[in-house]
Structures are given as C-alpha cells and as structure tokens.
Amino acid sequence: ARYELLLTEKPAAIGSELEPNNVPEQATPVTGLLATGALMTRRDEDYFLFTLPAGPGLAAAKKAPALGGLRAPAILRVELSSPGVTPTLRIAIGSGVEGAEESGVPAPSDGGAASDTSAVSFGPVLDVAAEKGAQELKLRNLGLPKGAKLVRVSVAALNHPKDGSRYQLKLSVDPEPEGGEREPNNDCATATPI
C-alpha cells in the first residue's frame, strides 16, 4: 500500500515546553505566566523559567529580567492541572547577584524570556506533591521577596503518565496581603512573622 507523509514546521505556541528541558539549565523560557507541556514517562521532569513582572498586575518583561526585579514583596500563586497524573512541583525563586551586570542580555528568537541566568542566584527550592489520585495542585501564598526576578518551576508525575499526559501551568503575582500567611512556613526558621 502506498501512502504519503506530509510534514510542516511551525513555531511552538508561546508557553509550550521546548525539549530538551529535563534539567534546570535547559529550562524552557516563558514570557507571560502560562505554560503547557506533556509528561511522557514517569521519569520525565519539565523545567520552565518564568520572568516575573516588576509588580502585581503588570506584564512580564519580554527580554532580560527587570533590573530591580519585583519592586515590593508579593505573593506567587501557582495552579497546575494535569489530567491523568498526580503532579509534583519544584519551585525556586531567582534574585539578582550583587554587582552582576544584567544589561544587554538578549531575548531568545522565539519571544521567550531571557535564558541567560548568570546574573541570577536561585534561592531554596520548595518541593510540593499533590495528594495521591489528585490531578491538580494549587499553591496560593508563596512569598516572593522584593527584587525577585525569575521563578524556575519543574513539573513531574508521581504515577506513570498514560499516552503523554498534557498539563497546564499557570502562575500569577498578587500583592502581599497584610497579615497573611506566606509559604514556606513549616518550621520555626520559616515562620510567617505577625
């Protein structure tokens, strides 16, 4: 039997994962606060690098992170919907390195956020897993310090994904509520001050 195969090339949608992105150094840069991807195997882990806006309600930078990062402390909200798998998230916040030169870092040709993170230092990592059987994960109050520039997020599955489970990852930056809880705060060293 004869058949014909037609291949076409087109740019990936903004926010789509770009392989390889299985280690932090290969994180898919994302402009905006929405990303999508697929988990193909149990060991698949997808990394994304989000450029933060200068403040809540503002658009994210389309090139190098803003010189000063966030102008004031804020709250990061993260929502991950992953039909067919129980998701896990790993989140690290990136801030500027004292004295590092940040100007002139070009944006990638795909319109994503700047991928040169040499002038950014990533702080402690927060690992979170959904409850067994859950297909979504929501973090409502992750504290972002003044000066934060980037958020590196990885998505993985606790169970074996079936047929390349697609997921949607959405971040938002909101004003810090007065007297509100900030994550992480699971021990005395990270307690929310009141």
Side-chain angles (χ1 to χ4, degrees), residues 110-127:
D110 69 356
S115 58
D116 180 355
T117 59
S118 60
V120 177
S121 171
F122 284 90
V125 172
L126 175 67
D127 287 311

Side-chain angles (χ1 to χ4, degrees), residues 63-91:
K63 46 187 175 179
L67 185 59
L70 284 174
R71 295 182 191 139
I75 294 295
L76 179 67
R77 298 183 192 275
V78 181
E79 296 182 14
L80 173 61
S81 173
S82 56
V85 299
T86 301
T88 67
L89 287 172
R90 176 173 288 166
I91 301 171

Side-chain angles (χ1 to χ4, degrees), residues 11-99:
I14 293 176
S16 296
E17 72 166 316
L18 301 173
E19 293 288 357
N21 68 339
N22 298 325
V23 295
E25 297 78 23
Q26 296 174 329
T28 297
V30 178
T31 296
L33 299 173
L34 180 67
T36 61
L39 296 172
M40 304 307 286
T41 67
R42 182 161 169 32
R43 292 185 181 180
D44 192 5
E45 184 170 10
D46 295 336
Y47 282 86
F48 294 93
L49 190 63
F50 292 89
T51 300
L52 292 172
L58 300 175
K62 291 192 177 185
K63 46 187 175 179
L67 185 59
L70 284 174
R71 295 182 191 139
I75 294 295
L76 179 67
R77 298 183 192 275
V78 181
E79 296 182 14
L80 173 61
S81 173
S82 56
V85 299
T86 301
T88 67
L89 287 172
R90 176 173 288 166
I91 301 171
I93 309 300
S95 296
V97 175
E98 195 78 26

Side-chain angles (χ1 to χ4, degrees), residues 109-174:
S109 58
D110 69 356
S115 58
D116 180 355
T117 59
S118 60
V120 177
S121 171
F122 284 90
V125 172
L126 175 67
D127 287 311
V128 183
E131 293 182 24
K132 186 176 181 179
Q135 296 181 15
E136 68 178 15
L137 187 55
K138 294 181 181 183
L139 299 174
R140 297 289 187 196
N141 52 355
L142 184 61
L144 292 171
K146 178 180 178 180
K149 299 171 186 303
L150 299 168
V151 176
R152 186 172 55 213
V153 179
S154 79
V155 177
L158 288 177
N159 56 324
H160 183 72
K162 294 181 173 86
D163 300 324
S165 178
R166 298 221 37 97
Y167 59 83
Q168 182 175 27
L169 177 64
K170 181 180 178 185
L171 279 66
S172 65
V173 178
D174 296 330

